[in-house]
Amino acid sequence: MKVPRCMSTQHPDNVNPPFFAEEPELGGEDEIREAYYVFSHLGCDEQMWDCEGKEVDNYVVKKLLTKYQAFFRDHVLGEDLRLTLRVPNPTVERAEAKILLETLESIPRSYDTASLFYGMDAAPVFEVILPMTSSSSCLNRIHSYYLDFVKGKERLQLADGVTVKEWIGEFRPDEINVIPLFEDHEGMLNAAKITGEYLDGKDIQEQRVFLARSDPAMNYGMISATLLNRIALSDFRDLEEESGVKLYPIIGMGSAPFRGNLRPDNVEDVTWEYRGAYTFTVQSSFKYDHEPSDVIRGIKKLRSVKPGRAAEIERESVLEIISAYCREYRRQVMDLVDIINRVARYVPGRRKRKLHIGLFGYSRSMGNVSLPRAITFTAALYSLGVPPELLGFNALSSGDLEFIEEVYPGLGRDLHDAARYANPESPFLSPEVKSSFEEYLEPEYDEGHMKTTEEIIRALRINRTANLQELILEAASQRKFLG
């Protein structure tokens, strides 16, 4: 079965709401319309459906097939196009643990709906993504639960001797695939090991794996996140060769340089930079903050570019650099935590989400300090004229930078794209950070964005915040991403 190359996601990093939205915060029926739109108009071949942190709609498949019959008659869901569910991780998200079970129970119902619609056996959903994967046990529990308790219930016998299968019918598909999503430092470094343990003893010929790019940037800094992705991609290449199982890595990219720097106009640069990745995510800013023709062209490139081979990497040298850089990055974030949280209250929402926990958060915490989610965190710092890509940069020596540029050739491009939106006069941009990146880059500052951040800083200083959200959106519109 063809593996998708371009996964549309529901990450709320967009400035502009899509034309079909009933209100700026998407939810409910808007996201049904979105799935159809990205398949039929933009050309994505996969939609990730988020089942954590919001009211879960277990009738997505039925609604899509009912509302858009003509399109889905010609494009079989589960074969030509994929709908892939991201489920809660019960090990971490205890408050949402039972949503996992509800979601797994919905998969056979979706199978029945699609089979009736197409007049043949059809599995519209057969994969789930497990966030914050930290062990093979987390993956095996989901795989086993589906086999033993969802599929397996058809063997149960009722009081009158009739089996559930005889009474209700078969529960299909017979099994599901579990895609591990690795989001933290240890997870990235052990991603191949955990995946190998999960594959052991199973008759699996192909396996998808997922690397986060946004949350590691917030936790450890942009450079650390990129280097950790490189290590994991290299390790996956080695695992593929050792195990004989074909691996298809997914990279979770946003449009801000801090969160991946994937935009319609730089697809070729980013796909080359992340050689070894097979599938790239397109988040809301990619889809809605650019001209539709540019978006369609960018997605077409994502789907057609030839996947590269992950490069070798000097693991120990990389980890030494990450350690020093991350330590300084975190120190600087701690210095800014109060103003980040203050500004975050005014960053507009773009999806209807409930608060839920995660690494250092989906309300995230560093030590005893809470921080907003990664998109809001990024938007808050950009609004202050302090792109988060620049934090910690002063910890790197010229020798470190030479080494990093070999492993991460796009470093200069990503920093340049970010630094243009810095405000060199911002009181929140430390002199040490400013001097270090100006020496490396000689940035050309965006005058319009700088002026808007000055107005934001002034409003905060005099505590006149009535139009602060409007100013934050104005700055985001100038960047073409919220956070």
Side-chain angles (χ1 to χ4, degrees), residues 428-447:
F428 305 106
L429 183 64
S430 71
E432 55 193 346
V433 171
K434 179 174 178 288
S435 61
S436 64
F437 78 77
E438 284 186 338
E439 181 181 343
Y440 180 73
L441 284 175
E442 297 183 359
E444 298 176 4
Y445 297 112
D446 185 292
E447 294 292 333

Side-chain angles (χ1 to χ4, degrees), residues 380-387 390 421-424 426 429 449 453 457:
L381 283 167
Y382 265 101
S383 300
L384 295 166
V386 185
L390 309 179
Y421 298 116
N423 182 341
S426 172
L429 183 64
H449 191 272
T453 60
I457 292 165

